[in-house]
Amino acid sequence: MVDEDRYEKHGGFPKVSRAEIGPNFGPFVEAMRTLQDLAVSVDATDEVFGQALARANELIELLSPYRAPELQGPAGRAVKLPGRGSLLLLPWRTVEAGPDGITMAGEFRRYHLGGNGAAHGGVLPLLFDDLLGMIVHYAGRPISRTAYLHVNYRKITPLETPLTVRGRVDRVEGRKTFITAELRDELGEVLADCEGLMVQLLPWQP
């Protein structure tokens, strides 16, 4: 793990604390994910869309007074929730994590559709990039930014199908951490793989 005594020296990146959440935040985030799925998949009448719009505006009105700056709200800091409680991140669960690598399991939802039943090619780099950041942490490396991420698309990545992704540190060169990872289906077939470079922040870098 990262040495907490060195944390403040990891560039200008602020220290992120875990959010203490109540019992309703997790179900709220999952409900919002389901709404995202529905928003891109329903074929309703204009009247129904009007009703949905009115309710969405009610929700906006309810939540707007509580808008908070970065690192204050629980989204992205709720580490016990899939995707750390962030709607941006994929809600995959960590199967194992340590200095030798990380394995996560999950699936792409209807919201991630690219076309013809396949996940959009753009969400795979998002999955890999988030994984790279976690790998750097569990490898005990300082906080780093992504400098390079190359994804090879080997096969079509299906929606609503159990998948696993695993990555590990390939090598370390000074401030540079080189990482490799693979996305596999239930049969162990590689759907995509990546190689990434994470670079340790300098003291003045955000």
Side-chain angles (χ1 to χ4, degrees):
M1 291 295 190
V2 170
D3 183 351
E4 293 293 334
D5 293 334
R6 298 172 55 214
Y7 201 111
E8 301 299 341
K9 299 179 181 179
H10 295 177
F13 203 97
K15 187 171 183 178
V16 180
S17 61
R18 297 186 178 190
E20 298 297 329
I21 59 173
N24 289 322
F25 181 70
F28 164 73
V29 173
E30 179 57 29
M32 294 300 295
R33 289 197 178 104
T34 301
L35 279 175
Q36 289 183 145
D37 291 334
L38 289 170
V40 299
S41 64
V42 297
D43 181 16
T45 64
D46 193 59
E47 179 182 359
V48 170
F49 281 125
Q51 294 176 21
L53 171 61
R55 296 183 185 183
N57 283 331
E58 289 178 3
L59 190 58
I60 291 171
E61 183 177 355
L62 172 66
L63 295 176
S64 289
Y66 302 95
R67 186 187 294 270
E70 182 181 0
L71 302 182
Q72 182 172 321
R77 300 191 301 119
V79 297
K80 294 183 179 180
L81 296 180
R84 300 191 293 282
S86 169
L87 290 179
L88 172 65
L89 301 179
L90 296 163
W92 288 38
R93 59 185 179 85
T94 301
V95 177
E96 58 182 30
D100 295 327
I102 293 179
T103 300
M104 295 194 301
E107 62 183 46
F108 292 100
R109 303 167 64 132
R110 177 61 184 272
Y111 181 68
H112 306 122
L113 174 67
N116 202 25
H120 193 291
V123 297
L124 272 67
L126 174 61
L127 174 65
F128 282 128
D129 190 52
D130 187 50
L131 178 67
L132 264 56
M134 294 174 61
I135 291 171
V136 165
H137 175 74
Y138 277 92
R141 297 287 292 162
I143 287 181
S144 305
R145 291 283 194 184
T146 308
Y148 172 83
L149 178 61
H150 178 84
V151 177
N152 298 305
Y153 298 87
R154 306 296 185 182
K155 293 186 176 181
I156 297 299
T157 299
L159 298 182
E160 300 173 348
T161 301
L163 306 172
T164 58
V165 63
R166 175 165 177 77
R168 69 210 61 78
V169 173
D170 181 65
R171 66 188 188 279
V172 174
E173 298 177 2
R175 294 169 52 218
K176 300 177 180 180
T177 304
F178 295 87
I179 298 173
T180 57
E182 308 86 29
L183 176 67
R184 298 178 183 269
D185 63 16
E186 290 183 291
L187 299 177
E189 295 289 331
V190 176
L191 304 177
D193 57 56
C194 83
E195 54 183 354
L197 168 60
M198 305 292 285
V199 178
Q200 176 186 351
L201 295 172
L202 294 172
W204 61 85
Q205 292 178 317

PDB file of all heavy atoms in Angstrom, residues 92-118:
ATOM      1  N   TRP A  92     -17.967  -2.238 -11.451  1.00  0.00           N
ATOM      2  CA  TRP A  92     -17.406  -3.581 -11.322  1.00  0.00           C
ATOM      3  C   TRP A  92     -16.920  -3.789  -9.895  1.00  0.00           C
ATOM      4  O   TRP A  92     -16.570  -2.843  -9.192  1.00  0.00           O
ATOM      5  CB  TRP A  92     -16.263  -3.769 -12.317  1.00  0.00           C
ATOM      6  CG  TRP A  92     -16.742  -3.873 -13.745  1.00  0.00           C
ATOM      7  CD1 TRP A  92     -17.762  -3.180 -14.324  1.00  0.00           C
ATOM      8  CD2 TRP A  92     -16.222  -4.733 -14.761  1.00  0.00           C
ATOM      9  NE1 TRP A  92     -17.903  -3.543 -15.629  1.00  0.00           N
ATOM     10  CE2 TRP A  92     -16.976  -4.488 -15.932  1.00  0.00           C
ATOM     11  CE3 TRP A  92     -15.187  -5.657 -14.803  1.00  0.00           C
ATOM     12  CZ2 TRP A  92     -16.733  -5.161 -17.124  1.00  0.00           C
ATOM     13  CZ3 TRP A  92     -14.932  -6.323 -15.979  1.00  0.00           C
ATOM     14  CH2 TRP A  92     -15.707  -6.083 -17.139  1.00  0.00           C
ATOM     15  N   ARG A  93     -16.876  -5.058  -9.463  1.00  0.00           N
ATOM     16  CA  ARG A  93     -16.429  -5.354  -8.102  1.00  0.00           C
ATOM     17  C   ARG A  93     -15.020  -5.939  -8.135  1.00  0.00           C
ATOM     18  O   ARG A  93     -14.640  -6.648  -9.075  1.00  0.00           O
ATOM     19  CB  ARG A  93     -17.393  -6.333  -7.422  1.00  0.00           C
ATOM     20  CG  ARG A  93     -17.552  -7.658  -8.131  1.00  0.00           C
ATOM     21  CD  ARG A  93     -18.602  -8.542  -7.477  1.00  0.00           C
ATOM     22  NE  ARG A  93     -18.749  -9.803  -8.203  1.00  0.00           N
ATOM     23  CZ  ARG A  93     -17.984 -10.866  -8.002  1.00  0.00           C
ATOM     24  NH1 ARG A  93     -17.028 -10.821  -7.095  1.00  0.00           N
ATOM     25  NH2 ARG A  93     -18.183 -11.975  -8.689  1.00  0.00           N
ATOM     26  N   THR A  94     -14.260  -5.644  -7.118  1.00  0.00           N
ATOM     27  CA  THR A  94     -12.893  -6.138  -7.015  1.00  0.00           C
ATOM     28  C   THR A  94     -12.911  -7.553  -6.448  1.00  0.00           C
ATOM     29  O   THR A  94     -13.441  -7.792  -5.356  1.00  0.00           O
ATOM     30  CB  THR A  94     -12.052  -5.227  -6.109  1.00  0.00           C
ATOM     31  OG1 THR A  94     -12.047  -3.905  -6.661  1.00  0.00           O
ATOM     32  CG2 THR A  94     -10.635  -5.732  -6.005  1.00  0.00           C
ATOM     33  N   VAL A  95     -12.360  -8.497  -7.186  1.00  0.00           N
ATOM     34  CA  VAL A  95     -12.306  -9.894  -6.756  1.00  0.00           C
ATOM     35  C   VAL A  95     -11.071 -10.133  -5.896  1.00  0.00           C
ATOM     36  O   VAL A  95     -11.132 -10.788  -4.857  1.00  0.00           O
ATOM     37  CB  VAL A  95     -12.296 -10.836  -7.978  1.00  0.00           C
ATOM     38  CG1 VAL A  95     -12.159 -12.282  -7.545  1.00  0.00           C
ATOM     39  CG2 VAL A  95     -13.561 -10.640  -8.810  1.00  0.00           C
ATOM     40  N   GLU A  96      -9.940  -9.618  -6.340  1.00  0.00           N
ATOM     41  CA  GLU A  96      -8.716  -9.705  -5.546  1.00  0.00           C
ATOM     42  C   GLU A  96      -7.829  -8.514  -5.884  1.00  0.00           C
ATOM     43  O   GLU A  96      -7.852  -8.006  -7.011  1.00  0.00           O
ATOM     44  CB  GLU A  96      -7.974 -11.016  -5.795  1.00  0.00           C
ATOM     45  CG  GLU A  96      -7.581 -11.253  -7.243  1.00  0.00           C
ATOM     46  CD  GLU A  96      -6.879 -12.595  -7.438  1.00  0.00           C
ATOM     47  OE1 GLU A  96      -7.164 -13.535  -6.685  1.00  0.00           O
ATOM     48  OE2 GLU A  96      -6.043 -12.691  -8.351  1.00  0.00           O
ATOM     49  N   ALA A  97      -7.068  -8.076  -4.896  1.00  0.00           N
ATOM     50  CA  ALA A  97      -6.203  -6.920  -5.096  1.00  0.00           C
ATOM     51  C   ALA A  97      -4.997  -7.023  -4.186  1.00  0.00           C
ATOM     52  O   ALA A  97      -5.113  -7.367  -3.004  1.00  0.00           O
ATOM     53  CB  ALA A  97      -6.965  -5.625  -4.819  1.00  0.00           C
ATOM     54  N   GLY A  98      -3.841  -6.730  -4.732  1.00  0.00           N
ATOM     55  CA  GLY A  98      -2.614  -6.777  -3.971  1.00  0.00           C
ATOM     56  C   GLY A  98      -1.465  -6.275  -4.813  1.00  0.00           C
ATOM     57  O   GLY A  98      -1.655  -5.844  -5.952  1.00  0.00           O
ATOM     58  N   PRO A  99      -0.248  -6.339  -4.290  1.00  0.00           N
ATOM     59  CA  PRO A  99       0.912  -5.846  -5.037  1.00  0.00           C
ATOM     60  C   PRO A  99       1.184  -6.606  -6.323  1.00  0.00           C
ATOM     61  O   PRO A  99       1.883  -6.095  -7.206  1.00  0.00           O
ATOM     62  CB  PRO A  99       2.059  -6.005  -4.034  1.00  0.00           C
ATOM     63  CG  PRO A  99       1.578  -7.010  -3.042  1.00  0.00           C
ATOM     64  CD  PRO A  99       0.111  -6.823  -2.947  1.00  0.00           C
ATOM     65  N   ASP A 100       0.626  -7.819  -6.441  1.00  0.00           N
ATOM     66  CA  ASP A 100       0.847  -8.614  -7.653  1.00  0.00           C
ATOM     67  C   ASP A 100      -0.193  -8.356  -8.734  1.00  0.00           C
ATOM     68  O   ASP A 100      -0.114  -8.929  -9.823  1.00  0.00           O
ATOM     69  CB  ASP A 100       0.860 -10.111  -7.312  1.00  0.00           C
ATOM     70  CG  ASP A 100       2.025 -10.485  -6.414  1.00  0.00           C
ATOM     71  OD1 ASP A 100       3.095  -9.853  -6.549  1.00  0.00           O
ATOM     72  OD2 ASP A 100       1.858 -11.391  -5.576  1.00  0.00           O
ATOM     73  N   GLY A 101      -1.171  -7.529  -8.443  1.00  0.00           N
ATOM     74  CA  GLY A 101      -2.168  -7.199  -9.458  1.00  0.00           C
ATOM     75  C   GLY A 101      -3.571  -7.128  -8.910  1.00  0.00           C
ATOM     76  O   GLY A 101      -3.809  -7.358  -7.719  1.00  0.00           O
ATOM     77  N   ILE A 102      -4.503  -6.809  -9.788  1.00  0.00           N
ATOM     78  CA  ILE A 102      -5.906  -6.656  -9.411  1.00  0.00           C
ATOM     79  C   ILE A 102      -6.786  -7.381 -10.417  1.00  0.00           C
ATOM     80  O   ILE A 102      -6.543  -7.326 -11.625  1.00  0.00           O
ATOM     81  CB  ILE A 102      -6.303  -5.164  -9.363  1.00  0.00           C
ATOM     82  CG1 ILE A 102      -5.576  -4.457  -8.219  1.00  0.00           C
ATOM     83  CG2 ILE A 102      -7.815  -4.998  -9.204  1.00  0.00           C
ATOM     84  CD1 ILE A 102      -5.889  -2.985  -8.130  1.00  0.00           C
ATOM     85  N   THR A 103      -7.800  -8.056  -9.906  1.00  0.00           N
ATOM     86  CA  THR A 103      -8.813  -8.681 -10.753  1.00  0.00           C
ATOM     87  C   THR A 103     -10.174  -8.110 -10.381  1.00  0.00           C
ATOM     88  O   THR A 103     -10.523  -8.054  -9.200  1.00  0.00           O
ATOM     89  CB  THR A 103      -8.834 -10.207 -10.576  1.00  0.00           C
ATOM     90  OG1 THR A 103      -7.559 -10.746 -10.929  1.00  0.00           O
ATOM     91  CG2 THR A 103      -9.907 -10.842 -11.458  1.00  0.00           C
ATOM     92  N   MET A 104     -10.927  -7.691 -11.379  1.00  0.00           N
ATOM     93  CA  MET A 104     -12.283  -7.197 -11.169  1.00  0.00           C
ATOM     94  C   MET A 104     -13.248  -7.971 -12.046  1.00  0.00           C
ATOM     95  O   MET A 104     -12.865  -8.481 -13.107  1.00  0.00           O
ATOM     96  CB  MET A 104     -12.379  -5.697 -11.470  1.00  0.00           C
ATOM     97  CG  MET A 104     -11.572  -4.821 -10.554  1.00  0.00           C
ATOM     98  SD  MET A 104     -12.026  -3.047 -10.675  1.00  0.00           S
ATOM     99  CE  MET A 104     -11.724  -2.728 -12.401  1.00  0.00           C
ATOM    100  N   ALA A 105     -14.494  -8.058 -11.603  1.00  0.00           N
ATOM    101  CA  ALA A 105     -15.533  -8.753 -12.356  1.00  0.00           C
ATOM    102  C   ALA A 105     -16.734  -7.839 -12.518  1.00  0.00           C
ATOM    103  O   ALA A 105     -17.035  -7.017 -11.647  1.00  0.00           O
ATOM    104  CB  ALA A 105     -15.946 -10.037 -11.640  1.00  0.00           C
ATOM    105  N   GLY A 106     -17.418  -7.987 -13.656  1.00  0.00           N
ATOM    106  CA  GLY A 106     -18.600  -7.169 -13.894  1.00  0.00           C
ATOM    107  C   GLY A 106     -19.113  -7.375 -15.298  1.00  0.00           C
ATOM    108  O   GLY A 106     -18.756  -8.344 -15.977  1.00  0.00           O
ATOM    109  N   GLU A 107     -19.964  -6.477 -15.719  1.00  0.00           N
ATOM    110  CA  GLU A 107     -20.509  -6.548 -17.071  1.00  0.00           C
ATOM    111  C   GLU A 107     -20.831  -5.142 -17.568  1.00  0.00           C
ATOM    112  O   GLU A 107     -20.965  -4.212 -16.773  1.00  0.00           O
ATOM    113  CB  GLU A 107     -21.755  -7.427 -17.115  1.00  0.00           C
ATOM    114  CG  GLU A 107     -22.906  -6.930 -16.269  1.00  0.00           C
ATOM    115  CD  GLU A 107     -24.098  -7.882 -16.305  1.00  0.00           C
ATOM    116  OE1 GLU A 107     -23.903  -9.099 -16.157  1.00  0.00           O
ATOM    117  OE2 GLU A 107     -25.231  -7.379 -16.472  1.00  0.00           O
ATOM    118  N   PHE A 108     -20.903  -5.025 -18.865  1.00  0.00           N
ATOM    119  CA  PHE A 108     -21.304  -3.757 -19.471  1.00  0.00           C
ATOM    120  C   PHE A 108     -22.821  -3.759 -19.625  1.00  0.00           C
ATOM    121  O   PHE A 108     -23.418  -4.745 -20.056  1.00  0.00           O
ATOM    122  CB  PHE A 108     -20.622  -3.570 -20.821  1.00  0.00           C
ATOM    123  CG  PHE A 108     -19.144  -3.373 -20.717  1.00  0.00           C
ATOM    124  CD1 PHE A 108     -18.263  -4.427 -20.947  1.00  0.00           C
ATOM    125  CD2 PHE A 108     -18.609  -2.144 -20.370  1.00  0.00           C
ATOM    126  CE1 PHE A 108     -16.894  -4.252 -20.836  1.00  0.00           C
ATOM    127  CE2 PHE A 108     -17.244  -1.952 -20.257  1.00  0.00           C
ATOM    128  CZ  PHE A 108     -16.380  -3.019 -20.488  1.00  0.00           C
ATOM    129  N   ARG A 109     -23.445  -2.653 -19.270  1.00  0.00           N
ATOM    130  CA  ARG A 109     -24.896  -2.546 -19.267  1.00  0.00           C
ATOM    131  C   ARG A 109     -25.396  -1.931 -20.569  1.00  0.00           C
ATOM    132  O   ARG A 109     -24.621  -1.540 -21.435  1.00  0.00           O
ATOM    133  CB  ARG A 109     -25.330  -1.704 -18.066  1.00  0.00           C
ATOM    134  CG  ARG A 109     -24.842  -2.270 -16.736  1.00  0.00           C
ATOM    135  CD  ARG A 109     -24.979  -1.301 -15.588  1.00  0.00           C
ATOM    136  NE  ARG A 109     -26.365  -0.972 -15.302  1.00  0.00           N
ATOM    137  CZ  ARG A 109     -26.912  -0.973 -14.085  1.00  0.00           C
ATOM    138  NH1 ARG A 109     -26.180  -1.321 -13.044  1.00  0.00           N
ATOM    139  NH2 ARG A 109     -28.162  -0.625 -13.905  1.00  0.00           N
ATOM    140  N   ARG A 110     -26.729  -1.819 -20.673  1.00  0.00           N
ATOM    141  CA  ARG A 110     -27.320  -1.254 -21.883  1.00  0.00           C
ATOM    142  C   ARG A 110     -26.828   0.171 -22.119  1.00  0.00           C
ATOM    143  O   ARG A 110     -26.675   0.612 -23.269  1.00  0.00           O
ATOM    144  CB  ARG A 110     -28.846  -1.282 -21.767  1.00  0.00           C
ATOM    145  CG  ARG A 110     -29.584  -0.656 -22.949  1.00  0.00           C
ATOM    146  CD  ARG A 110     -29.277  -1.389 -24.258  1.00  0.00           C
ATOM    147  NE  ARG A 110     -29.914  -0.732 -25.385  1.00  0.00           N
ATOM    148  CZ  ARG A 110     -31.159  -0.992 -25.803  1.00  0.00           C
ATOM    149  NH1 ARG A 110     -31.885  -1.907 -25.176  1.00  0.00           N
ATOM    150  NH2 ARG A 110     -31.669  -0.350 -26.833  1.00  0.00           N
ATOM    151  N   TYR A 111     -26.554   0.886 -21.063  1.00  0.00           N
ATOM    152  CA  TYR A 111     -26.055   2.260 -21.167  1.00  0.00           C
ATOM    153  C   TYR A 111     -24.743   2.319 -21.945  1.00  0.00           C
ATOM    154  O   TYR A 111     -24.409   3.327 -22.551  1.00  0.00           O
ATOM    155  CB  TYR A 111     -25.860   2.820 -19.755  1.00  0.00           C
ATOM    156  CG  TYR A 111     -25.369   4.247 -19.703  1.00  0.00           C
ATOM    157  CD1 TYR A 111     -26.175   5.302 -20.125  1.00  0.00           C
ATOM    158  CD2 TYR A 111     -24.102   4.537 -19.214  1.00  0.00           C
ATOM    159  CE1 TYR A 111     -25.732   6.610 -20.061  1.00  0.00           C
ATOM    160  CE2 TYR A 111     -23.647   5.846 -19.151  1.00  0.00           C
ATOM    161  CZ  TYR A 111     -24.461   6.874 -19.577  1.00  0.00           C
ATOM    162  OH  TYR A 111     -24.009   8.171 -19.512  1.00  0.00           O
ATOM    163  N   HIS A 112     -23.991   1.223 -21.954  1.00  0.00           N
ATOM    164  CA  HIS A 112     -22.675   1.181 -22.596  1.00  0.00           C
ATOM    165  C   HIS A 112     -22.728   0.659 -24.030  1.00  0.00           C
ATOM    166  O   HIS A 112     -21.680   0.408 -24.625  1.00  0.00           O
ATOM    167  CB  HIS A 112     -21.738   0.290 -21.776  1.00  0.00           C
ATOM    168  CG  HIS A 112     -21.652   0.687 -20.330  1.00  0.00           C
ATOM    169  ND1 HIS A 112     -21.959  -0.174 -19.296  1.00  0.00           N
ATOM    170  CD2 HIS A 112     -21.326   1.883 -19.755  1.00  0.00           C
ATOM    171  CE1 HIS A 112     -21.801   0.451 -18.147  1.00  0.00           C
ATOM    172  NE2 HIS A 112     -21.427   1.705 -18.390  1.00  0.00           N
ATOM    173  N   LEU A 113     -23.915   0.525 -24.581  1.00  0.00           N
ATOM    174  CA  LEU A 113     -24.073  -0.006 -25.930  1.00  0.00           C
ATOM    175  C   LEU A 113     -23.399   0.869 -26.972  1.00  0.00           C
ATOM    176  O   LEU A 113     -23.570   2.082 -27.001  1.00  0.00           O
ATOM    177  CB  LEU A 113     -25.563  -0.132 -26.265  1.00  0.00           C
ATOM    178  CG  LEU A 113     -25.915  -0.546 -27.695  1.00  0.00           C
ATOM    179  CD1 LEU A 113     -25.472  -1.985 -27.962  1.00  0.00           C
ATOM    180  CD2 LEU A 113     -27.415  -0.391 -27.943  1.00  0.00           C
ATOM    181  N   GLY A 114     -22.624   0.205 -27.839  1.00  0.00           N
ATOM    182  CA  GLY A 114     -22.046   0.894 -28.983  1.00  0.00           C
ATOM    183  C   GLY A 114     -22.862   0.629 -30.229  1.00  0.00           C
ATOM    184  O   GLY A 114     -23.128   1.515 -31.033  1.00  0.00           O
ATOM    185  N   GLY A 115     -23.298  -0.616 -30.383  1.00  0.00           N
ATOM    186  CA  GLY A 115     -24.130  -1.000 -31.514  1.00  0.00           C
ATOM    187  C   GLY A 115     -24.095  -2.506 -31.733  1.00  0.00           C
ATOM    188  O   GLY A 115     -23.080  -3.169 -31.465  1.00  0.00           O
ATOM    189  N   ASN A 116     -25.224  -3.053 -32.168  1.00  0.00           N
ATOM    190  CA  ASN A 116     -25.331  -4.471 -32.497  1.00  0.00           C
ATOM    191  C   ASN A 116     -24.933  -5.373 -31.328  1.00  0.00           C
ATOM    192  O   ASN A 116     -24.276  -6.396 -31.502  1.00  0.00           O
ATOM    193  CB  ASN A 116     -24.472  -4.812 -33.716  1.00  0.00           C
ATOM    194  CG  ASN A 116     -24.935  -6.081 -34.419  1.00  0.00           C
ATOM    195  OD1 ASN A 116     -26.100  -6.461 -34.314  1.00  0.00           O
ATOM    196  ND2 ASN A 116     -24.038  -6.733 -35.123  1.00  0.00           N
ATOM    197  N   GLY A 117     -25.358  -4.973 -30.129  1.00  0.00           N
ATOM    198  CA  GLY A 117     -25.142  -5.801 -28.944  1.00  0.00           C
ATOM    199  C   GLY A 117     -23.761  -5.716 -28.334  1.00  0.00           C
ATOM    200  O   GLY A 117     -23.473  -6.430 -27.368  1.00  0.00           O
ATOM    201  N   ALA A 118     -22.898  -4.863 -28.859  1.00  0.00           N
ATOM    202  CA  ALA A 118     -21.529  -4.767 -28.363  1.00  0.00           C
ATOM    203  C   ALA A 118     -21.330  -3.519 -27.516  1.00  0.00           C
ATOM    204  O   ALA A 118     -21.960  -2.485 -27.746  1.00  0.00           O
ATOM    205  CB  ALA A 118     -20.548  -4.746 -29.529  1.00  0.00           C
TER     206      ALA A 118
END
